[in-house]
C-alpha cells in the first residue's frame, strides 16, 4: 500500500480572502505532495510498514524496527502527510458544526473565545516551523500545545482534533512576517466549531 495525496475537498480559492488561492495551491499540490512522496520513499524497502496506516506508524514510531534514518523520515514525512490531512479537514468550509466538541471546549477552556485566545497564543509564540494543536490527551482531556516541524500528537499518545500550520509556507505569500495577523484571519476559515 502506498499513501495517496487526496484531492483538496474544496476549491483553492474557497477560503479567500483569508487564505489566498496561490498559497492553498502551492501548499496542497507542492508541499503536501512532497511529504506524501517522501513518506512513500521512506517505506519503499519496508513492505511490512507499507501495510500499516500512517496513523499507526506515528503511534508506534519509537518502537518500529527500522534504522534511525528511516525513523526520522517517517517522523518528518509521515507526520507532514498526516498533519496536512488534518489541516484540510480543520478548514473545510463544508464541515458541519460539532456541537459536542463546542460544549466540551467551553467546559474545558471557559468559552470558545478563551479557547481561541489560548490556541492563537500557542501558534503565535511557537518558535520556528511547526503546528499548534488541539488534542485529546491520554486521559481524554482536551489540551492545547505546539509541536516543532512535523511532529505528531499520535507519537505522544494523543488524538489530534484540529491544527494550525505555522510553517512560513502556510502564510508567507499573503502575510509575510505577520504571523499573528494570519492567525487572526485564519479563524474565519474554521467553520466546524
Ligand atoms: Mn504546511
Amino acid at each position: 500500500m502506498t499513501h495517496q495525496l487526496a484531492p483538496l475537498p474544496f476549491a483553492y480559492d474557497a477560503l479567500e480572502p483569508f487564505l489566498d488561492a496561490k498559497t492553498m495551491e502551492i501548499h496542497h499540490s507542492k508541499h503536501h505532495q512532497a511529504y506524501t512522496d517522501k513518506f512513500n520513499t521512506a517505506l519503499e524497502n519496508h513492505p511490512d510498514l507499507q501495510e500499516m496506516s500512517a496513523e499507526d506508524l506515528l503511534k508506534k514510531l519509537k518502537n518500529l524496527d527500522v534504522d534511525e534514518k528511516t525513523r526520522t523520515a517517517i517522523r518528518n514525512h509521515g507526520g507532514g502527510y498526516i498533519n496536512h490531512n488534518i489541516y484540510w479537514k480543520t478548514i473545510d468550509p463544508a464541515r458541519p458544526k460539532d456541537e459536542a466538541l463546542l460544549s466540551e471546549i467551553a467546559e474545558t477552556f471557559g468559552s470558545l473565545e478563551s479557547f481561541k485566545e489560548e490556541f492563537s497564543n500557542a501558534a503565535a509564540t511557537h518558535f520556528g516551523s511547526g503546528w499548534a494543536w488541539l488534542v485529546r490527551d491520554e486521559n481524554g482531556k482536551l489540551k492545547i500545545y505546539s509541536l516543532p516541524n512535523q511532529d505528531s500528537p499520535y507519537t505522544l499518545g494523543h488524538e489530534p482534533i484540529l491544527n494550525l500550520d505555522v510553517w512560513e509556507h502556510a502564510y508567507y505569500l499573503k502575510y509575510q512576517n505577520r504571523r499573528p495577523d494570519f492567525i487572526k484571519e485564519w479563524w474565519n476559515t474554521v467553520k466546524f466549531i
Side-chain angles (χ1 to χ4, degrees):
M1 183 184 85
T2 56
H3 300 277
Q4 303 289 331
L5 177 66
L8 198 68
F10 46 86
Y12 287 132
D13 64 358
L15 305 172
E16 291 269 12
F18 314 112
L19 291 176
D20 62 290
K22 193 75 193 161
T23 296
M24 289 301 297
E25 183 182 353
I26 295 172
H27 203 168
H28 179 261
S29 71
K30 304 291 185 207
H31 290 279
H32 197 184
Q33 182 70 63
Y35 287 116
T36 308
D37 293 345
K38 288 177 185 169
F39 182 31
N40 286 323
T41 302
L43 303 177
E44 227 162 37
N45 299 317
H46 300 274
D48 51 327
L49 302 187
Q50 290 172 17
E51 298 304 313
M52 291 169 67
S53 71
E55 287 85 351
D56 271 350
L57 285 170
L58 294 170
K59 283 179 192 171
K60 296 171 183 162
L61 184 69
K62 287 167 188 154
N63 300 316
L64 295 175
D65 183 21
V66 290
D67 58 64
E68 288 315 303
K69 191 173 161 239
T70 303
R71 196 185 318 278
T72 300
I74 294 171
R75 176 180 178 176
N76 291 337
H77 304 299
Y81 172 70
I82 289 283
N83 293 348
H84 287 89
N85 285 342
I86 298 165
Y87 187 52
W88 309 139
K89 282 187 196 136
T90 299
I91 59 178
D92 183 343
R95 185 161 169 188
K97 276 253 188 270
D98 188 334
E99 298 293 347
L101 178 61
L102 265 172
S103 331
E104 209 183 338
I105 284 174
E107 223 167 88
T108 308
F109 301 99
S111 66
L112 181 61
E113 282 318 302
S114 46
F115 159 70
K116 286 184 175 178
E117 204 180 308
E118 194 179 323
F119 186 93
S120 299
N121 191 46
T125 59
H126 179 84
F127 182 75
S129 296
W131 295 74
W133 290 95
L134 174 68
V135 303
R136 194 176 295 286
D137 73 9
E138 60 276 29
N139 301 313
K141 219 175 133 35
L142 295 182
K143 206 178 237 179
I144 294 168
Y145 53 67
S146 71
L147 292 177
N149 305 317
Q150 297 295 352
D151 285 1
S152 168
Y154 283 122
T155 308
L156 303 174
H158 299 163
E159 196 69 31
I161 296 173
L162 65 86
N163 63 5
L164 168 54
D165 192 344
V166 293
W167 283 61
E168 285 185 344
H169 68 232
Y171 62 89
Y172 210 85
L173 281 182
K174 184 177 169 78
Y175 296 95
Q176 293 86 45
N177 59 320
R178 303 184 310 277
R179 190 194 283 183
D181 290 351
F182 158 62
I183 295 166
K184 192 165 166 259
E185 297 300 323
W186 174 81
W187 281 112
N188 291 301
T189 70
V190 182
K191 298 295 187 194
F192 83 104
I193 58 163

